[in-house]
Amino acid sequence: MYENPNPNSVVVRAKHAGDIVGASTCEGAGYNEYGYVLVATDAAADGRGWMREEAVVQI
């Protein structure tokens, strides 16, 4: 999970397969060929973290 939607951004928390994250909004962002989705996390300065969209599955 990144602070900003960018692979060079600070990693604020590690998540693994099967971990549950809280959705923040349906907001998305892109950086070069990477897509990111916004998730809620208290680890980020603003309470919003970004994850690569390939790593997220809706349940």
Side-chain angles (χ1 to χ4, degrees):
M1 187 176 301
Y2 299 94
E3 183 74 38
N4 298 301
N6 179 322
N8 301 315
S9 178
V10 174
V11 175
V12 294
R13 178 170 285 166
K15 290 291 183 179
H16 305 282
D19 288 351
I20 296 175
V21 298
S24 180
T25 64
C26 293
E27 197 172 334
Y31 180 89
N32 291 342
E33 72 272 19
Y34 303 111
Y36 293 85
V37 293
L38 186 61
V39 296
T41 178
D42 56 2
D46 60 0
R48 299 160 31 119
W50 294 88
M51 293 184 69
R52 297 260 302 269
E53 65 182 326
E54 309 86 47
V56 179
V57 177
Q58 184 177 359
I59 56 171

